[in-house]
């Protein structure tokens, strides 16, 4: 029996105590409460399954489409591959309208459309993608990354100039195929002579789209010859080295695409080779790599191969990998996880970011997973990322983007915020000239979403998979051509209208996805309501309507939306506010300041020499209003003062702070201890409720995707005696920290960032450790810009015995100061050098004048050690007194 996806615990999921209403109720999200999706769904309507409007209709609720037949009109999985639950329509069958069309046109008017004239990587001169022998100075992933979206924007919007320009690169790629079947840039690694296949994987996506749009059989010939070439490559030369090894699933995707069109048996042998030489994304309890884009692409590889192998463990592995990233680093709103290059232990706060590349690749992976599994969860998640995380990555005019986007972020500037975020550089800045990978790869996010709004089904029907204004023309039933026009202001409003366009009548099924958050949808045909049998649950499923349709039939789907809270139990009991698919953020005043892009470019940025950089300024965004608010709850409810429905924006683009068609007014209080930290980032969250005596205010929340500066994961604010008093987020100690050694996953500067853990397992606060040094003599040093008088220090040691770690308080230590001659001397008349756990160990001594202090530390035999915080001066307050585990 095929593996039932609803048997898997997916993330996030509703708690059994979920309630809904105008006052948002709590949804608990914790790693202990990962339960199956689709619980607690309410029944639709009353007793029958037919109405007068649909007397000839067969109406049912299904988990996913049945696969007892194969679509007669569109290419789907051919045996022995597992049957396709949904089938992608050819490029051009779905045309966007409304806000999505506007966003895509802005892309073409902005950096995506102009990138060919901006980016040095896209210049045609000496470009390996246009070279018959694959040689040239320029030519790796940048061209296909850009073309993957640029070409599809042209196909979907009918832009003949764009289509012609894309054709130049397609023709060059086809003409680059050599006698052995290889094509594209001739890139081979020096150490073992193996080929770098990664960029070709991306170009194969471009070729597939071009073929679907034009039917050019040269694509089939090129891919067949190329895959025969790959088939001949020995395993020890296949998918070696980093990027391609992690992302072999993209190679697999293209192989199955071709197999479904040709049936060549060798392609399945090649698929075996590709999967066994791809990183193990099916490993148990861990991931093979923690780079954010690798995760967003790589996690789906086992499910892709499941189509061929049929081993249900592979399908489970993909769900598990998805969950693993979010359990560890994704206890945040917006659907993504914190990996501001790589995910790091201890960096799971909502201020941690995700690459724009990771955002669009996650959306694409969700679309692939939806088609493979039919599980509506993947459509829900795709909407979550697309509506809440993706829009804020771009300037409203799409003339710039930022490399990193976070749920809690009030800095968008040229400064280096490492190691608060991992990658060092101006990676929160909006720019068209920088951020090499995202600069090119962002382009496919919106067009790929458009292409997957409607999907064909095995029973020759269509499914409205995600809700965005659009029009689809497809062959259905016994061969009739239908056009369905979808009009909606979803996700800002709850109604979706469809109009049927047919010549004559035609019988075929239509499927409507019901999101997991919607308990009681309403569906009407020509004004008459459809009802389902009592006891039918619909949330997280599909309503299937099979009937004979006529030209002009009108369908209306209503998806009632309620204000809810999600509680992130493993991120300090912070909360986020949702209404339907939208998450809301604090509306923060924003000041957009252009700066010369060439003065704040990343080191590997390259632009054409003839570009006038003044035409493409980078943009910094600064907050002009307070942002450090916690929400005021009434028990487990958020009292909503008002829900505002605003006029739809005249420019048809709703993802800006001032143009959003919906907002909420709620009660909040400022949390004085919450501010920017020493990295210029939002201070990490501490435990809720957060104690504050600040007055209650009414604040405005807007959709998360419309907020370029945003707080989306809020503390709960309270003046109750048992509320948590937050340590200041600002840098408490102004000195330069250094050490004899620091583990690569930790940070020496943590000892002076002013932050302490709430307990021994708090992974949201950074620390220094000497790991993996054991039993050795080590040192920590505090350097001052000017000589200062000091007579007291306090050290808060790191000790992880409570979680089975190998760090302990040191065996002993002493305090040294650097004298005027530069010699290190021990302070005189020091009080006891304490080694207590979970508290400050304060030492007083005769005053010294110095420009540096040093802790000389002897580690315990067989153990390492570390430090949470080292404070210099008498202002140290031992507020953790009594929090001793001994």
């Amino acid at each position: 029996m095929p593996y039932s996806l609803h048997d898997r615990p997916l993330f996030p999921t509703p708690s059994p105590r979920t309630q809904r209403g105008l006052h948002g109720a709590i949804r608990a999200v914790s790693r202990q409460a990962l339960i199956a999706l689709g619980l607690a769904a309410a029944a639709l309507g009353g007793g029958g399954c037919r109405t007068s409007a649909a007397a000839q209709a067969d109406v049912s609720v299904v988990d996913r489409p049945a696969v007892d037949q194969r679509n007669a009109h569109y290419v789907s999985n051919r045996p022995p591959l597992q049957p396709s639950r949904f089938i992608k329509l050819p490029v051009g069958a779905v045309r966007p309208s409304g806000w999505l069309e506007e966003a895509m046109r802005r892309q073409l008017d902005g950096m995506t459309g102009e990138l060919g004239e901006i980016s040095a990587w896209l210049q045609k001169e000496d470009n390996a993608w246009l070279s018959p022998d694959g040689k040239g100075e320029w030519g790796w992933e940048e061209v296909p990354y850009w073309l993957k979206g640029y070409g599809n924007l042209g196909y979907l919007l009918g832009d003949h100039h764009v289509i012609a320009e894309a054709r130049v690169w397609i023709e060059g790629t086809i003409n680059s195929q050599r006698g052995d079947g290889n094509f594209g840039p001739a890139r081979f690694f020096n150490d073992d002579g193996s080929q770098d296949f990664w960029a070709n994987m991306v170009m194969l996506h471009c070729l597939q789209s071009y073929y679907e749009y034009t039917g050019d059989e040269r694509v089939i010939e090129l891919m067949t010859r190329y895959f025969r070439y790959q088939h001949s490559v020995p395993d020890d030369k296949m998918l070696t080295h980093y990027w391609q090894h992690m992302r072999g699933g993209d190679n697999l995707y293209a192989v199955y695409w071709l197999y479904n069109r040709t049936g060549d048996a060798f392609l399945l042998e090649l698929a075996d080779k590709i999967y066994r030489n791809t990183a193990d994304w099916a490993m148990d309890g861990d991931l093979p790599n923690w780079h954010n884009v690798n995760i967003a692409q790589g996690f789906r590889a086992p499910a892709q191969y499941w189509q061929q192998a049929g081993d249900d463990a592979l399908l489970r592995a993909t769900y598990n990998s998805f969950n693993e990233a979010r359990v560890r680093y994704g206890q945040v709103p917006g659907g993504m996880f914190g990996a501001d290059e790589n995910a790091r232990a201890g960096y799971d706060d909502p201020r941690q970011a995700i690459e724009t590349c990771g955002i669009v690749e996650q959306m694409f992976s969700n679309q692939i997973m939806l088609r493979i599994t039919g599980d509506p969860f993947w459509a829900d998640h795709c909407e979550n990322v697309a509506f809440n995380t993706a829009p804020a990555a771009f300037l409203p005019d799409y003339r710039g983007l930022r490399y990193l986007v976070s749920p809690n972020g009030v800095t968008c500037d040229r400064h280096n915020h490492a190691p608060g975020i991992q990658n060092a550089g101006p990676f929160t800045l909006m720019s068209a000239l920088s951020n090499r990978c995202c600069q090119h790869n962002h382009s496919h996010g919106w067009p790929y979403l458009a292409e997957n709004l409607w999907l064909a089904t095995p029973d020759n029907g269509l499914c409205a998979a995600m809700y965005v204004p659009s029009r689809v023309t497809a062959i259905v039933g016994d061969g009739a051509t239908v056009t369905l026009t979808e009009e909606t202001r979803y996700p800002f409003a709850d109604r979706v209208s469809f109009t049927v366009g047919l010549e004559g009548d035609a019988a075929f099924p239509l499927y409507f996805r019901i999101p997991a958050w919607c308990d009681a949808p309403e569906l009407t045909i020509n004004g008459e309501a459809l009802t389902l049998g009592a006891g039918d649950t619909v949330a997280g499923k599909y309503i299937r309507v099979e009937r004979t349709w006529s030209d002009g039939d009108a369908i209306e789907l209503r998806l009632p939306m309620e204000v809810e809270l999600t509680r992130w139990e493993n991120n300090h009991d912070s909360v986020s506010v949702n209404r339907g698919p939208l998450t809301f953020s604090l509306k923060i005043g924003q000041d957009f300041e252009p700066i010369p892009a060439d003065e704040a470019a990343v080191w590997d940025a390259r632009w054409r020499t003839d570009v006038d950089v003044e035409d493409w300024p980078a943009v910094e965004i600064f907050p002009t209003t307070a942002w450090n608010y916690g929400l005021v709850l009434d028990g487990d409810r958020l009292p909503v003062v008002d829900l505002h429905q605003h006029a739809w924006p005249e420019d048809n683009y709703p993802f800006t702070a001032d143009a959003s068609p919906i907002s909420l007014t709620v009660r909040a209080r400022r949390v004085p201890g919450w501010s920017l930290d020493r990295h210029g980032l939002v201070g990490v969250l501490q435990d809720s409720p957060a104690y504050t005596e600040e007055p209650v205010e009414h604040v405005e929340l807007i959709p998360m995707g419309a907020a370029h500066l945003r707080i989306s994961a809020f503390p709960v604010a309270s003046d109750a005696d048992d509320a948590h008093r937050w340590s200041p987020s600002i840098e408490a100690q102004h000195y330069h920290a250094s050490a004899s050694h620091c583990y690569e996953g930790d940070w020496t500067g943590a000892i002076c960032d002013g932050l302490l853990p709430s307990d021994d397992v708090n992974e949201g606060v950074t620390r220094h450790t000497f790991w993996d040094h054991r039993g050795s003599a080590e040192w920590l040093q505090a350097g001052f810009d000017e000589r200062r008088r000091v007579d007291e220090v306090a050290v808060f040691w790191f000790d992880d015995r409570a979680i089975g770690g190998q760090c302990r308080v040191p065996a002993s230590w002493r305090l040294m100061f650097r004298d005027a001659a530069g010699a290190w001397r021990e302070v005189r008349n020091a009080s006891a050098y304490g080694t207590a756990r979970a508290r400050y160990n304060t030492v007083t001594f005769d005053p010294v004048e110095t420009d540096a202090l040093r802790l000389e530390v002897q580690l315990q035999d067989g153990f390492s050690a570390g430090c949470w915080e080292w404070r210099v001066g008498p202002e140290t307050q031992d507020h953790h007194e009594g929090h001793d585990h001994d």
Side-chain angles (χ1 to χ4, degrees), residues 414-436:
R414 73 187 81 184
H415 299 299
N416 175 17
H417 297 286
I421 58 175
Q422 188 191 39
N423 212 337
F427 288 117
T428 66
L429 177 71
M430 295 282 190
S431 177
L433 303 186
S434 204
N435 308 316
R436 172 180 168 185

Side-chain angles (χ1 to χ4, degrees), residues 635-659:
D636 276 353
R637 293 186 176 277
L638 173 69
V640 178
V641 176
D642 207 349
L643 188 156
H644 309 273
Q645 297 281 1
H646 307 290
W648 189 259
E650 293 184 3
D651 63 4
N652 216 14
Y653 190 72
F655 288 105
T656 64
D658 294 328

Side-chain angles (χ1 to χ4, degrees), residues 301-365:
Q304 292 176 260
Y305 188 58
W306 166 82
Q307 297 174 97
Q308 178 176 348
D311 182 353
D312 293 341
L314 294 169
L315 207 52
R316 287 194 293 271
T318 281
Y319 279 79
N320 289 341
S321 291
F322 177 93
N323 289 340
E324 190 71 33
R326 284 154 182 83
V327 165
R328 295 196 194 191
Y329 303 108
Q331 301 281 300
V332 297
M336 296 304 294
F337 50 92
D340 22 51
E341 197 69 30
N342 299 281
R344 298 172 289 164
Y347 290 80
D348 59 356
D349 189 82
R351 79 176 189 180
Q352 305 308 141
I354 192 79
E355 280 185 48
T356 298
C357 281
I359 295 168
V360 296
E361 293 293 355
Q362 181 67 60
M363 290 166 59
F364 183 32
S365 290

Side-chain angles (χ1 to χ4, degrees), residues 490-678:
Y490 181 96
F492 306 94
D494 62 6
R495 296 185 184 273
V496 189
S497 299
F498 308 89
T499 304
V500 179
L502 276 168
E503 292 186 6
D505 296 341
F508 60 93
L510 281 177
Y511 292 75
F512 302 92
R513 179 190 123 255
I514 307 304
W517 47 261
C518 182
D519 286 346
E522 302 167 5
L523 185 64
T524 66
I525 299 177
N526 299 328
E528 296 289 341
L530 298 182
T531 59
L532 301 174
D536 281 326
T537 58
V538 291
K541 297 183 181 181
Y542 301 92
I543 297 178
R544 181 184 185 274
V545 181
E546 184 168 17
R547 71 188 294 266
T548 297
W549 301 92
S550 301
D551 186 58
D553 279 344
I555 308 164
E556 184 167 289
L557 174 66
R558 181 170 176 263
L559 301 169
M561 301 175 182
E562 306 290 349
V563 176
E564 301 178 325
L565 289 181
T566 298
R567 185 184 293 281
W568 304 96
E569 292 180 350
N570 285 320
N571 223 320
H572 301 281
D573 276 331
S574 56
V575 296
S576 55
V577 181
N578 313 302
R579 181 178 183 268
L582 292 179
T583 297
F584 284 75
S585 298
L586 179 71
K587 185 176 183 179
I588 301 170
Q590 300 178 147
D591 181 19
F592 289 73
E593 295 288 344
I595 63 171
D598 56 340
E599 295 180 8
V602 181
W603 66 272
D604 63 349
R606 300 288 187 275
W607 52 88
R608 295 172 60 118
T609 56
D610 57 350
V611 172
D612 186 348
V613 296
E614 292 185 1
D615 290 339
W616 296 93
V619 176
E620 296 181 298
I621 309 174
F622 299 102
T624 61
T625 57
W627 54 263
N628 59 335
Y629 284 94
L631 299 183
V632 176
L633 304 187
D634 180 6
D636 276 353
R637 293 186 176 277
L638 173 69
V640 178
V641 176
D642 207 349
L643 188 156
H644 309 273
Q645 297 281 1
H646 307 290
W648 189 259
E650 293 184 3
D651 63 4
N652 216 14
Y653 190 72
F655 288 105
T656 64
D658 294 328
S660 173
I662 189 170
S663 64
L664 303 173
T665 299
V666 300
R667 297 191 303 158
R669 305 172 79 164
R670 293 183 66 179
V671 180
W674 195 24
S675 61
L676 295 182
D677 73 353
R678 69 188 308 272

Side-chain angles (χ1 to χ4, degrees), residues 469-482:
S470 59
R471 185 180 71 256
V472 60
T473 300
I475 303 172
V476 294
D478 292 331
T481 298
V482 65

Side-chain angles (χ1 to χ4, degrees), residues 634-798:
D634 180 6
D636 276 353
R637 293 186 176 277
L638 173 69
V640 178
V641 176
D642 207 349
L643 188 156
H644 309 273
Q645 297 281 1
H646 307 290
W648 189 259
E650 293 184 3
D651 63 4
N652 216 14
Y653 190 72
F655 288 105
T656 64
D658 294 328
S660 173
I662 189 170
S663 64
L664 303 173
T665 299
V666 300
R667 297 191 303 158
R669 305 172 79 164
R670 293 183 66 179
V671 180
W674 195 24
S675 61
L676 295 182
D677 73 353
R678 69 188 308 272
H679 310 301
L681 297 171
V682 171
V684 297
L685 293 175
Q686 300 172 54
D687 288 349
S688 281
Y691 182 80
T692 177
E693 296 179 358
E694 295 295 310
V696 173
E697 303 178 45
H698 287 177
V699 299
E700 186 176 1
L701 307 185
I702 59 174
M704 183 176 173
H708 287 87
L709 302 181
R710 57 197 188 178
I711 297 296
S712 310
F714 293 88
V716 176
S718 173
D719 59 4
D721 290 340
D722 61 352
H724 300 275
R725 287 162 170 77
W726 283 22
S727 301
S729 302
I730 60 173
E731 179 183 4
Q733 297 293 305
H734 298 281
Y735 63 75
H736 306 288
S738 56
S740 55
H741 171 73
C742 183
Y743 174 59
E744 62 180 9
D746 296 319
W747 174 49
T748 303
I751 66 175
C752 58
D753 65 2
L755 297 176
L756 287 173
S758 58
D759 54 47
D760 284 343
V761 296
N762 189 323
E763 292 187 343
V765 177
T766 55
R767 75 248 177 149
H768 163 273
T769 71
F770 296 112
W771 183 260
D772 53 356
H773 292 192
R774 301 170 185 255
S776 53
E778 307 288 347
W779 53 262
L780 288 170
Q781 184 169 314
F784 313 125
D785 291 331
E786 298 178 351
R787 295 182 69 80
R788 67 169 66 173
R789 180 182 174 89
V790 185
D791 62 2
E792 181 177 311
V793 300
V795 184
F796 200 112
W797 298 110
F798 172 75

